[in-house]
Amino acid sequence: MDLSQIKSVSVICLGNICRSPMGEVVLRDRFEKYGLDIAVNSGGTGNWHIGEDANPRTLQVLRAKNYLVNHHAKQVDNSWFDKTDLFLAMDLSNRSNLLKLAGKNYAHKVLMYRWFDEDLSHLPQDHQDLEVPDPYYGTLKDFELVLNMVEKAADGFINKLRQDN
Ligand code: 4NP
């Protein structure tokens, strides 16, 4: 995919309270740092947490690394496909739900978030190793590991963008 035309990115997980808010915040940080004019938001495929702040442990690990967070959980729907250039799914079930919402016309806009990790970009989009594991029922350590994965792939995303521009 040619990233040079990308003006908006949506990061998608299940609840939009753990993984995708991290992706949103980290990508926004990188876009600002490199002067890239790309809008970023996030959403969940599920509706349970609409309007909620991010999970307390998401907030804790982000703030520990000095990221600013101001989050209200949202559910992705098919109206997003007109206005967003690229959807980044956190796991394969998010991807499959997004592809259902996208239909044939927009399926090309859906990629796995972690595919941009330079150590994983040789993998096909449906490979299990591209999943960012759901930390919701895990420990604070799981949230820290997720944030590390999210940062590594965000750095790969920026490198690829800068190559394509
Ligand atoms: P997320 O984590 O998809 O990374 O935001 C989850 C949040 C909530 C639930 C599952 C995963 N839940 O079952 O409510």
Side-chain angles (χ1 to χ4, degrees), residues 106-127:
Y106 292 121
H108 62 282
K109 293 190 174 188
V110 178
L111 291 177
M112 291 293 280
Y113 181 94
R114 245 189 133 189
W115 179 74
F116 289 96
D117 181 324
E118 285 159 352
D119 292 328
L120 302 174
S121 52
H122 60 287
L123 296 174
Q125 289 294 320
D126 59 355
H127 199 288

mmCIF file with all atom_site columns, all heavy atoms in Angstrom, residues 106-127:
data_model
loop_
_atom_site.group_PDB
_atom_site.id
_atom_site.type_symbol
_atom_site.label_atom_id
_atom_site.label_alt_id
_atom_site.label_comp_id
_atom_site.label_asym_id
_atom_site.label_entity_id
_atom_site.label_seq_id
_atom_site.pdbx_PDB_ins_code
_atom_site.Cartn_x
_atom_site.Cartn_y
_atom_site.Cartn_z
_atom_site.occupancy
_atom_site.B_iso_or_equiv
_atom_site.pdbx_formal_charge
_atom_site.auth_seq_id
_atom_site.auth_comp_id
_atom_site.auth_asym_id
_atom_site.auth_atom_id
_atom_site.pdbx_PDB_model_num
ATOM 1   N N   . TYR A 1 106 ? -14.372 -1.380  0.370  1.00 0.00 ? 106 TYR A N   1
ATOM 2   C CA  . TYR A 1 106 ? -13.434 -0.747  1.293  1.00 0.00 ? 106 TYR A CA  1
ATOM 3   C C   . TYR A 1 106 ? -12.466 -1.730  1.951  1.00 0.00 ? 106 TYR A C   1
ATOM 4   O O   . TYR A 1 106 ? -11.676 -1.319  2.799  1.00 0.00 ? 106 TYR A O   1
ATOM 5   C CB  . TYR A 1 106 ? -14.208 0.000   2.383  1.00 0.00 ? 106 TYR A CB  1
ATOM 6   C CG  . TYR A 1 106 ? -14.953 1.201   1.874  1.00 0.00 ? 106 TYR A CG  1
ATOM 7   C CD1 . TYR A 1 106 ? -16.331 1.307   2.014  1.00 0.00 ? 106 TYR A CD1 1
ATOM 8   C CD2 . TYR A 1 106 ? -14.266 2.246   1.267  1.00 0.00 ? 106 TYR A CD2 1
ATOM 9   C CE1 . TYR A 1 106 ? -17.022 2.419   1.557  1.00 0.00 ? 106 TYR A CE1 1
ATOM 10  C CE2 . TYR A 1 106 ? -14.942 3.367   0.801  1.00 0.00 ? 106 TYR A CE2 1
ATOM 11  C CZ  . TYR A 1 106 ? -16.311 3.450   0.950  1.00 0.00 ? 106 TYR A CZ  1
ATOM 12  O OH  . TYR A 1 106 ? -16.975 4.554   0.497  1.00 0.00 ? 106 TYR A OH  1
ATOM 13  N N   . ALA A 1 107 ? -12.512 -2.990  1.548  1.00 0.00 ? 107 ALA A N   1
ATOM 14  C CA  . ALA A 1 107 ? -11.659 -3.999  2.202  1.00 0.00 ? 107 ALA A CA  1
ATOM 15  C C   . ALA A 1 107 ? -10.180 -3.627  2.107  1.00 0.00 ? 107 ALA A C   1
ATOM 16  O O   . ALA A 1 107 ? -9.394  -3.926  3.018  1.00 0.00 ? 107 ALA A O   1
ATOM 17  C CB  . ALA A 1 107 ? -11.905 -5.371  1.581  1.00 0.00 ? 107 ALA A CB  1
ATOM 18  N N   . HIS A 1 108 ? -9.811  -2.932  1.023  1.00 0.00 ? 108 HIS A N   1
ATOM 19  C CA  . HIS A 1 108 ? -8.391  -2.561  0.827  1.00 0.00 ? 108 HIS A CA  1
ATOM 20  C C   . HIS A 1 108 ? -7.912  -1.559  1.885  1.00 0.00 ? 108 HIS A C   1
ATOM 21  O O   . HIS A 1 108 ? -6.719  -1.335  2.031  1.00 0.00 ? 108 HIS A O   1
ATOM 22  C CB  . HIS A 1 108 ? -8.191  -1.966  -0.565 1.00 0.00 ? 108 HIS A CB  1
ATOM 23  C CG  . HIS A 1 108 ? -8.963  -0.701  -0.793 1.00 0.00 ? 108 HIS A CG  1
ATOM 24  N ND1 . HIS A 1 108 ? -10.318 -0.686  -1.064 1.00 0.00 ? 108 HIS A ND1 1
ATOM 25  C CD2 . HIS A 1 108 ? -8.578  0.593   -0.745 1.00 0.00 ? 108 HIS A CD2 1
ATOM 26  C CE1 . HIS A 1 108 ? -10.719 0.576   -1.193 1.00 0.00 ? 108 HIS A CE1 1
ATOM 27  N NE2 . HIS A 1 108 ? -9.687  1.370   -1.001 1.00 0.00 ? 108 HIS A NE2 1
ATOM 28  N N   . LYS A 1 109 ? -8.853  -0.948  2.621  1.00 0.00 ? 109 LYS A N   1
ATOM 29  C CA  . LYS A 1 109 ? -8.451  0.035   3.639  1.00 0.00 ? 109 LYS A CA  1
ATOM 30  C C   . LYS A 1 109 ? -8.093  -0.613  4.972  1.00 0.00 ? 109 LYS A C   1
ATOM 31  O O   . LYS A 1 109 ? -7.697  0.078   5.902  1.00 0.00 ? 109 LYS A O   1
ATOM 32  C CB  . LYS A 1 109 ? -9.590  1.042   3.887  1.00 0.00 ? 109 LYS A CB  1
ATOM 33  C CG  . LYS A 1 109 ? -9.887  1.959   2.715  1.00 0.00 ? 109 LYS A CG  1
ATOM 34  C CD  . LYS A 1 109 ? -10.853 3.069   3.139  1.00 0.00 ? 109 LYS A CD  1
ATOM 35  C CE  . LYS A 1 109 ? -11.038 4.085   2.020  1.00 0.00 ? 109 LYS A CE  1
ATOM 36  N NZ  . LYS A 1 109 ? -11.806 5.254   2.485  1.00 0.00 ? 109 LYS A NZ  1
ATOM 37  N N   . VAL A 1 110 ? -8.271  -1.930  5.089  1.00 0.00 ? 110 VAL A N   1
ATOM 38  C CA  . VAL A 1 110 ? -8.089  -2.612  6.383  1.00 0.00 ? 110 VAL A CA  1
ATOM 39  C C   . VAL A 1 110 ? -6.749  -3.357  6.419  1.00 0.00 ? 110 VAL A C   1
ATOM 40  O O   . VAL A 1 110 ? -6.491  -4.231  5.592  1.00 0.00 ? 110 VAL A O   1
ATOM 41  C CB  . VAL A 1 110 ? -9.237  -3.615  6.640  1.00 0.00 ? 110 VAL A CB  1
ATOM 42  C CG1 . VAL A 1 110 ? -9.018  -4.358  7.957  1.00 0.00 ? 110 VAL A CG1 1
ATOM 43  C CG2 . VAL A 1 110 ? -10.584 -2.904  6.620  1.00 0.00 ? 110 VAL A CG2 1
ATOM 44  N N   . LEU A 1 111 ? -5.898  -2.998  7.372  1.00 0.00 ? 111 LEU A N   1
ATOM 45  C CA  . LEU A 1 111 ? -4.624  -3.705  7.583  1.00 0.00 ? 111 LEU A CA  1
ATOM 46  C C   . LEU A 1 111 ? -4.477  -4.017  9.070  1.00 0.00 ? 111 LEU A C   1
ATOM 47  O O   . LEU A 1 111 ? -5.121  -3.383  9.911  1.00 0.00 ? 111 LEU A O   1
ATOM 48  C CB  . LEU A 1 111 ? -3.443  -2.829  7.147  1.00 0.00 ? 111 LEU A CB  1
ATOM 49  C CG  . LEU A 1 111 ? -3.280  -2.553  5.647  1.00 0.00 ? 111 LEU A CG  1
ATOM 50  C CD1 . LEU A 1 111 ? -2.098  -1.597  5.427  1.00 0.00 ? 111 LEU A CD1 1
ATOM 51  C CD2 . LEU A 1 111 ? -3.084  -3.830  4.858  1.00 0.00 ? 111 LEU A CD2 1
ATOM 52  N N   . MET A 1 112 ? -3.590  -4.964  9.368  1.00 0.00 ? 112 MET A N   1
ATOM 53  C CA  . MET A 1 112 ? -3.274  -5.249  10.761 1.00 0.00 ? 112 MET A CA  1
ATOM 54  C C   . MET A 1 112 ? -2.292  -4.197  11.287 1.00 0.00 ? 112 MET A C   1
ATOM 55  O O   . MET A 1 112 ? -1.285  -3.879  10.646 1.00 0.00 ? 112 MET A O   1
ATOM 56  C CB  . MET A 1 112 ? -2.646  -6.648  10.880 1.00 0.00 ? 112 MET A CB  1
ATOM 57  C CG  . MET A 1 112 ? -3.612  -7.773  10.599 1.00 0.00 ? 112 MET A CG  1
ATOM 58  S SD  . MET A 1 112 ? -4.924  -7.899  11.846 1.00 0.00 ? 112 MET A SD  1
ATOM 59  C CE  . MET A 1 112 ? -4.034  -8.757  13.164 1.00 0.00 ? 112 MET A CE  1
ATOM 60  N N   . TYR A 1 113 ? -2.578  -3.671  12.464 1.00 0.00 ? 113 TYR A N   1
ATOM 61  C CA  . TYR A 1 113 ? -1.721  -2.636  13.074 1.00 0.00 ? 113 TYR A CA  1
ATOM 62  C C   . TYR A 1 113 ? -0.264  -3.101  13.146 1.00 0.00 ? 113 TYR A C   1
ATOM 63  O O   . TYR A 1 113 ? 0.668   -2.386  12.801 1.00 0.00 ? 113 TYR A O   1
ATOM 64  C CB  . TYR A 1 113 ? -2.251  -2.318  14.483 1.00 0.00 ? 113 TYR A CB  1
ATOM 65  C CG  . TYR A 1 113 ? -1.474  -1.253  15.205 1.00 0.00 ? 113 TYR A CG  1
ATOM 66  C CD1 . TYR A 1 113 ? -1.857  0.086   15.158 1.00 0.00 ? 113 TYR A CD1 1
ATOM 67  C CD2 . TYR A 1 113 ? -0.331  -1.580  15.939 1.00 0.00 ? 113 TYR A CD2 1
ATOM 68  C CE1 . TYR A 1 113 ? -1.129  1.068   15.806 1.00 0.00 ? 113 TYR A CE1 1
ATOM 69  C CE2 . TYR A 1 113 ? 0.401   -0.605  16.583 1.00 0.00 ? 113 TYR A CE2 1
ATOM 70  C CZ  . TYR A 1 113 ? -0.001  0.715   16.513 1.00 0.00 ? 113 TYR A CZ  1
ATOM 71  O OH  . TYR A 1 113 ? 0.726   1.686   17.153 1.00 0.00 ? 113 TYR A OH  1
ATOM 72  N N   . ARG A 1 114 ? -0.089  -4.330  13.604 1.00 0.00 ? 114 ARG A N   1
ATOM 73  C CA  . ARG A 1 114 ? 1.279   -4.803  13.882 1.00 0.00 ? 114 ARG A CA  1
ATOM 74  C C   . ARG A 1 114 ? 2.062   -5.194  12.635 1.00 0.00 ? 114 ARG A C   1
ATOM 75  O O   . ARG A 1 114 ? 3.251   -5.482  12.708 1.00 0.00 ? 114 ARG A O   1
ATOM 76  C CB  . ARG A 1 114 ? 1.198   -6.020  14.804 1.00 0.00 ? 114 ARG A CB  1
ATOM 77  C CG  . ARG A 1 114 ? 1.803   -5.755  16.136 1.00 0.00 ? 114 ARG A CG  1
ATOM 78  C CD  . ARG A 1 114 ? 1.923   -7.018  16.951 1.00 0.00 ? 114 ARG A CD  1
ATOM 79  N NE  . ARG A 1 114 ? 3.228   -7.118  17.545 1.00 0.00 ? 114 ARG A NE  1
ATOM 80  C CZ  . ARG A 1 114 ? 3.664   -8.193  18.168 1.00 0.00 ? 114 ARG A CZ  1
ATOM 81  N NH1 . ARG A 1 114 ? 2.899   -9.258  18.256 1.00 0.00 ? 114 ARG A NH1 1
ATOM 82  N NH2 . ARG A 1 114 ? 4.873   -8.195  18.681 1.00 0.00 ? 114 ARG A NH2 1
ATOM 83  N N   . TRP A 1 115 ? 1.393   -5.211  11.494 1.00 0.00 ? 115 TRP A N   1
ATOM 84  C CA  . TRP A 1 115 ? 2.088   -5.513  10.241 1.00 0.00 ? 115 TRP A CA  1
ATOM 85  C C   . TRP A 1 115 ? 3.171   -4.457  9.985  1.00 0.00 ? 115 TRP A C   1
ATOM 86  O O   . TRP A 1 115 ? 4.161   -4.710  9.295  1.00 0.00 ? 115 TRP A O   1
ATOM 87  C CB  . TRP A 1 115 ? 1.071   -5.549  9.095  1.00 0.00 ? 115 TRP A CB  1
ATOM 88  C CG  . TRP A 1 115 ? 1.671   -5.829  7.764  1.00 0.00 ? 115 TRP A CG  1
ATOM 89  C CD1 . TRP A 1 115 ? 2.139   -7.035  7.302  1.00 0.00 ? 115 TRP A CD1 1
ATOM 90  C CD2 . TRP A 1 115 ? 1.882   -4.881  6.707  1.00 0.00 ? 115 TRP A CD2 1
ATOM 91  N NE1 . TRP A 1 115 ? 2.630   -6.887  6.034  1.00 0.00 ? 115 TRP A NE1 1
ATOM 92  C CE2 . TRP A 1 115 ? 2.481   -5.567  5.640  1.00 0.00 ? 115 TRP A CE2 1
ATOM 93  C CE3 . TRP A 1 115 ? 1.609   -3.520  6.558  1.00 0.00 ? 115 TRP A CE3 1
ATOM 94  C CZ2 . TRP A 1 115 ? 2.817   -4.953  4.442  1.00 0.00 ? 115 TRP A CZ2 1
ATOM 95  C CZ3 . TRP A 1 115 ? 1.946   -2.904  5.358  1.00 0.00 ? 115 TRP A CZ3 1
ATOM 96  C CH2 . TRP A 1 115 ? 2.537   -3.619  4.321  1.00 0.00 ? 115 TRP A CH2 1
ATOM 97  N N   . PHE A 1 116 ? 3.022   -3.282  10.585 1.00 0.00 ? 116 PHE A N   1
ATOM 98  C CA  . PHE A 1 116 ? 4.004   -2.211  10.397 1.00 0.00 ? 116 PHE A CA  1
ATOM 99  C C   . PHE A 1 116 ? 5.238   -2.376  11.283 1.00 0.00 ? 116 PHE A C   1
ATOM 100 O O   . PHE A 1 116 ? 6.213   -1.663  11.111 1.00 0.00 ? 116 PHE A O   1
ATOM 101 C CB  . PHE A 1 116 ? 3.349   -0.836  10.630 1.00 0.00 ? 116 PHE A CB  1
ATOM 102 C CG  . PHE A 1 116 ? 2.408   -0.481  9.516  1.00 0.00 ? 116 PHE A CG  1
ATOM 103 C CD1 . PHE A 1 116 ? 1.048   -0.723  9.628  1.00 0.00 ? 116 PHE A CD1 1
ATOM 104 C CD2 . PHE A 1 116 ? 2.892   0.052   8.335  1.00 0.00 ? 116 PHE A CD2 1
ATOM 105 C CE1 . PHE A 1 116 ? 0.190   -0.423  8.597  1.00 0.00 ? 116 PHE A CE1 1
ATOM 106 C CE2 . PHE A 1 116 ? 2.036   0.361   7.294  1.00 0.00 ? 116 PHE A CE2 1
ATOM 107 C CZ  . PHE A 1 116 ? 0.679   0.118   7.425  1.00 0.00 ? 116 PHE A CZ  1
ATOM 108 N N   . ASP A 1 117 ? 5.201   -3.320  12.219 1.00 0.00 ? 117 ASP A N   1
ATOM 109 C CA  . ASP A 1 117 ? 6.404   -3.697  12.966 1.00 0.00 ? 117 ASP A CA  1
ATOM 110 C C   . ASP A 1 117 ? 7.384   -4.280  11.943 1.00 0.00 ? 117 ASP A C   1
ATOM 111 O O   . ASP A 1 117 ? 7.062   -5.254  11.250 1.00 0.00 ? 117 ASP A O   1
ATOM 112 C CB  . ASP A 1 117 ? 6.017   -4.736  14.029 1.00 0.00 ? 117 ASP A CB  1
ATOM 113 C CG  . ASP A 1 117 ? 7.204   -5.166  14.888 1.00 0.00 ? 117 ASP A CG  1
ATOM 114 O OD1 . ASP A 1 117 ? 8.332   -5.262  14.367 1.00 0.00 ? 117 ASP A OD1 1
ATOM 115 O OD2 . ASP A 1 117 ? 6.973   -5.438  16.076 1.00 0.00 ? 117 ASP A OD2 1
ATOM 116 N N   . GLU A 1 118 ? 8.570   -3.674  11.844 1.00 0.00 ? 118 GLU A N   1
ATOM 117 C CA  . GLU A 1 118 ? 9.483   -4.061  10.764 1.00 0.00 ? 118 GLU A CA  1
ATOM 118 C C   . GLU A 1 118 ? 9.933   -5.522  10.857 1.00 0.00 ? 118 GLU A C   1
ATOM 119 O O   . GLU A 1 118 ? 10.348  -6.099  9.861  1.00 0.00 ? 118 GLU A O   1
ATOM 120 C CB  . GLU A 1 118 ? 10.668  -3.090  10.721 1.00 0.00 ? 118 GLU A CB  1
ATOM 121 C CG  . GLU A 1 118 ? 10.221  -1.772  10.107 1.00 0.00 ? 118 GLU A CG  1
ATOM 122 C CD  . GLU A 1 118 ? 11.103  -0.584  10.440 1.00 0.00 ? 118 GLU A CD  1
ATOM 123 O OE1 . GLU A 1 118 ? 12.013  -0.722  11.285 1.00 0.00 ? 118 GLU A OE1 1
ATOM 124 O OE2 . GLU A 1 118 ? 10.859  0.488   9.846  1.00 0.00 ? 118 GLU A OE2 1
ATOM 125 N N   . ASP A 1 119 ? 9.818   -6.126  12.020 1.00 0.00 ? 119 ASP A N   1
ATOM 126 C CA  . ASP A 1 119 ? 10.162  -7.545  12.139 1.00 0.00 ? 119 ASP A CA  1
ATOM 127 C C   . ASP A 1 119 ? 9.020   -8.458  11.707 1.00 0.00 ? 119 ASP A C   1
ATOM 128 O O   . ASP A 1 119 ? 9.191   -9.685  11.648 1.00 0.00 ? 119 ASP A O   1
ATOM 129 C CB  . ASP A 1 119 ? 10.539  -7.876  13.592 1.00 0.00 ? 119 ASP A CB  1
ATOM 130 C CG  . ASP A 1 119 ? 11.846  -7.214  13.986 1.00 0.00 ? 119 ASP A CG  1
ATOM 131 O OD1 . ASP A 1 119 ? 12.714  -7.056  13.092 1.00 0.00 ? 119 ASP A OD1 1
ATOM 132 O OD2 . ASP A 1 119 ? 11.991  -6.823  15.156 1.00 0.00 ? 119 ASP A OD2 1
ATOM 133 N N   . LEU A 1 120 ? 7.846   -7.889  11.458 1.00 0.00 ? 120 LEU A N   1
ATOM 134 C CA  . LEU A 1 120 ? 6.664   -8.712  11.153 1.00 0.00 ? 120 LEU A CA  1
ATOM 135 C C   . LEU A 1 120 ? 6.056   -8.406  9.785  1.00 0.00 ? 120 LEU A C   1
ATOM 136 O O   . LEU A 1 120 ? 5.097   -9.064  9.373  1.00 0.00 ? 120 LEU A O   1
ATOM 137 C CB  . LEU A 1 120 ? 5.592   -8.496  12.243 1.00 0.00 ? 120 LEU A CB  1
ATOM 138 C CG  . LEU A 1 120 ? 6.031   -8.822  13.678 1.00 0.00 ? 120 LEU A CG  1
ATOM 139 C CD1 . LEU A 1 120 ? 4.952   -8.424  14.678 1.00 0.00 ? 120 LEU A CD1 1
ATOM 140 C CD2 . LEU A 1 120 ? 6.345   -10.310 13.819 1.00 0.00 ? 120 LEU A CD2 1
ATOM 141 N N   . SER A 1 121 ? 6.625   -7.437  9.074  1.00 0.00 ? 121 SER A N   1
ATOM 142 C CA  . SER A 1 121 ? 5.955   -6.965  7.857  1.00 0.00 ? 121 SER A CA  1
ATOM 143 C C   . SER A 1 121 ? 6.083   -7.942  6.681  1.00 0.00 ? 121 SER A C   1
ATOM 144 O O   . SER A 1 121 ? 5.476   -7.733  5.636  1.00 0.00 ? 121 SER A O   1
ATOM 145 C CB  . SER A 1 121 ? 6.454   -5.571  7.460  1.00 0.00 ? 121 SER A CB  1
ATOM 146 O OG  . SER A 1 121 ? 7.850   -5.577  7.404  1.00 0.00 ? 121 SER A OG  1
ATOM 147 N N   . HIS A 1 122 ? 6.838   -9.037  6.886  1.00 0.00 ? 122 HIS A N   1
ATOM 148 C CA  . HIS A 1 122 ? 6.886   -10.085 5.852  1.00 0.00 ? 122 HIS A CA  1
ATOM 149 C C   . HIS A 1 122 ? 5.690   -11.027 5.971  1.00 0.00 ? 122 HIS A C   1
ATOM 150 O O   . HIS A 1 122 ? 5.471   -11.859 5.100  1.00 0.00 ? 122 HIS A O   1
ATOM 151 C CB  . HIS A 1 122 ? 8.184   -10.890 5.992  1.00 0.00 ? 122 HIS A CB  1
ATOM 152 C CG  . HIS A 1 122 ? 8.318   -11.566 7.324  1.00 0.00 ? 122 HIS A CG  1
ATOM 153 N ND1 . HIS A 1 122 ? 8.601   -10.875 8.492  1.00 0.00 ? 122 HIS A ND1 1
ATOM 154 C CD2 . HIS A 1 122 ? 8.150   -12.857 7.688  1.00 0.00 ? 122 HIS A CD2 1
ATOM 155 C CE1 . HIS A 1 122 ? 8.635   -11.729 9.510  1.00 0.00 ? 122 HIS A CE1 1
ATOM 156 N NE2 . HIS A 1 122 ? 8.353   -12.935 9.047  1.00 0.00 ? 122 HIS A NE2 1
ATOM 157 N N   . LEU A 1 123 ? 4.923   -10.912 7.063  1.00 0.00 ? 123 LEU A N   1
ATOM 158 C CA  . LEU A 1 123 ? 3.826   -11.862 7.309  1.00 0.00 ? 123 LEU A CA  1
ATOM 159 C C   . LEU A 1 123 ? 2.564   -11.462 6.537  1.00 0.00 ? 123 LEU A C   1
ATOM 160 O O   . LEU A 1 123 ? 2.313   -10.275 6.329  1.00 0.00 ? 123 LEU A O   1
ATOM 161 C CB  . LEU A 1 123 ? 3.498   -11.915 8.804  1.00 0.00 ? 123 LEU A CB  1
ATOM 162 C CG  . LEU A 1 123 ? 4.618   -12.434 9.710  1.00 0.00 ? 123 LEU A CG  1
ATOM 163 C CD1 . LEU A 1 123 ? 4.212   -12.306 11.182 1.00 0.00 ? 123 LEU A CD1 1
ATOM 164 C CD2 . LEU A 1 123 ? 4.940   -13.896 9.372  1.00 0.00 ? 123 LEU A CD2 1
ATOM 165 N N   . PRO A 1 124 ? 1.751   -12.468 6.137  1.00 0.00 ? 124 PRO A N   1
ATOM 166 C CA  . PRO A 1 124 ? 0.462   -12.144 5.515  1.00 0.00 ? 124 PRO A CA  1
ATOM 167 C C   . PRO A 1 124 ? -0.497  -11.553 6.552  1.00 0.00 ? 124 PRO A C   1
ATOM 168 O O   . PRO A 1 124 ? -0.353  -11.808 7.754  1.00 0.00 ? 124 PRO A O   1
ATOM 169 C CB  . PRO A 1 124 ? -0.047  -13.495 5.014  1.00 0.00 ? 124 PRO A CB  1
ATOM 170 C CG  . PRO A 1 124 ? 0.648   -14.506 5.861  1.00 0.00 ? 124 PRO A CG  1
ATOM 171 C CD  . PRO A 1 124 ? 1.972   -13.916 6.258  1.00 0.00 ? 124 PRO A CD  1
ATOM 172 N N   . GLN A 1 125 ? -1.452  -10.758 6.076  1.00 0.00 ? 125 GLN A N   1
ATOM 173 C CA  . GLN A 1 125 ? -2.358  -10.033 6.980  1.00 0.00 ? 125 GLN A CA  1
ATOM 174 C C   . GLN A 1 125 ? -3.125  -10.945 7.940  1.00 0.00 ? 125 GLN A C   1
ATOM 175 O O   . GLN A 1 125 ? -3.538  -10.506 9.002  1.00 0.00 ? 125 GLN A O   1
ATOM 176 C CB  . GLN A 1 125 ? -3.359  -9.196  6.162  1.00 0.00 ? 125 GLN A CB  1
ATOM 177 C CG  . GLN A 1 125 ? -2.730  -8.004  5.470  1.00 0.00 ? 125 GLN A CG  1
ATOM 178 C CD  . GLN A 1 125 ? -2.206  -6.962  6.448  1.00 0.00 ? 125 GLN A CD  1
ATOM 179 O OE1 . GLN A 1 125 ? -2.824  -6.669  7.456  1.00 0.00 ? 125 GLN A OE1 1
ATOM 180 N NE2 . GLN A 1 125 ? -1.043  -6.410  6.144  1.00 0.00 ? 125 GLN A NE2 1
ATOM 181 N N   . ASP A 1 126 ? -3.330  -12.199 7.558  1.00 0.00 ? 126 ASP A N   1
ATOM 182 C CA  . ASP A 1 126 ? -4.137  -13.073 8.422  1.00 0.00 ? 126 ASP A CA  1
ATOM 183 C C   . ASP A 1 126 ? -3.271  -13.940 9.348  1.00 0.00 ? 126 ASP A C   1
ATOM 184 O O   . ASP A 1 126 ? -3.744  -14.928 9.906  1.00 0.00 ? 126 ASP A O   1
ATOM 185 C CB  . ASP A 1 126 ? -5.072  -13.945 7.580  1.00 0.00 ? 126 ASP A CB  1
ATOM 186 C CG  . ASP A 1 126 ? -4.307  -14.817 6.599  1.00 0.00 ? 126 ASP A CG  1
ATOM 187 O OD1 . ASP A 1 126 ? -3.065  -14.681 6.506  1.00 0.00 ? 126 ASP A OD1 1
ATOM 188 O OD2 . ASP A 1 126 ? -4.958  -15.628 5.920  1.00 0.00 ? 126 ASP A OD2 1
ATOM 189 N N   . HIS A 1 127 ? -2.014  -13.536 9.552  1.00 0.00 ? 127 HIS A N   1
ATOM 190 C CA  . HIS A 1 127 ? -1.110  -14.332 10.396 1.00 0.00 ? 127 HIS A CA  1
ATOM 191 C C   . HIS A 1 127 ? -1.314  -13.987 11.878 1.00 0.00 ? 127 HIS A C   1
ATOM 192 O O   . HIS A 1 127 ? -1.367  -12.818 12.244 1.00 0.00 ? 127 HIS A O   1
ATOM 193 C CB  . HIS A 1 127 ? 0.333   -14.053 9.989  1.00 0.00 ? 127 HIS A CB  1
ATOM 194 C CG  . HIS A 1 127 ? 1.285   -15.120 10.444 1.00 0.00 ? 127 HIS A CG  1
ATOM 195 N ND1 . HIS A 1 127 ? 1.637   -15.283 11.773 1.00 0.00 ? 127 HIS A ND1 1
ATOM 196 C CD2 . HIS A 1 127 ? 1.936   -16.085 9.762  1.00 0.00 ? 127 HIS A CD2 1
ATOM 197 C CE1 . HIS A 1 127 ? 2.469   -16.298 11.873 1.00 0.00 ? 127 HIS A CE1 1
ATOM 198 N NE2 . HIS A 1 127 ? 2.670   -16.802 10.677 1.00 0.00 ? 127 HIS A NE2 1
#
